[in-house]
């Protein structure tokens, strides 16, 4: 379940993986390499909605999508 913040939503790694249709390990690798911005809470990560949008925009300029 996504968590709402004042700047948008925070997604779990599993939610980002489902949205992008990749494995959770792929998202963890993106987080570890800094390819996608994340916030760490204890031992888990949350990815801001804006970070997902920024990543998709950078990977596919001019694409039309909704999150």
């Amino acid at each position: 379940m996504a968590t709402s913040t004042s700047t948008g939503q925070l997604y779990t790694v599993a939610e980002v993986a489902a949205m992008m249709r990749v494995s959770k390990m792929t998202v963890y690798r993106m987080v570890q390499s800094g390819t996608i911005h994340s916030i760490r809470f204890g031992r888990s990560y949350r990815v801001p909605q804006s970070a997902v949008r920024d990543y998709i925009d950078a990977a596919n300029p001019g694409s039309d999508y909704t999150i």
Side-chain angles (χ1 to χ4, degrees), residues 6-47:
S6 62
T7 59
Q9 291 185 330
L10 297 176
Y11 296 111
T12 64
V13 168
E15 289 171 329
V16 174
M19 281 189 276
M20 297 177 130
R21 295 185 180 169
V22 298
S23 71
K24 290 190 298 185
M25 185 54 66
T26 299
V27 177
Y28 278 118
R29 286 185 190 123
M30 291 166 44
V31 165
Q32 292 296 322
S33 69
T35 304
I36 193 166
H37 175 71
S38 66
I39 301 167
R40 188 166 182 178
F41 292 102
R43 294 179 61 181
S44 61
Y45 292 93
R46 297 293 182 267
V47 181

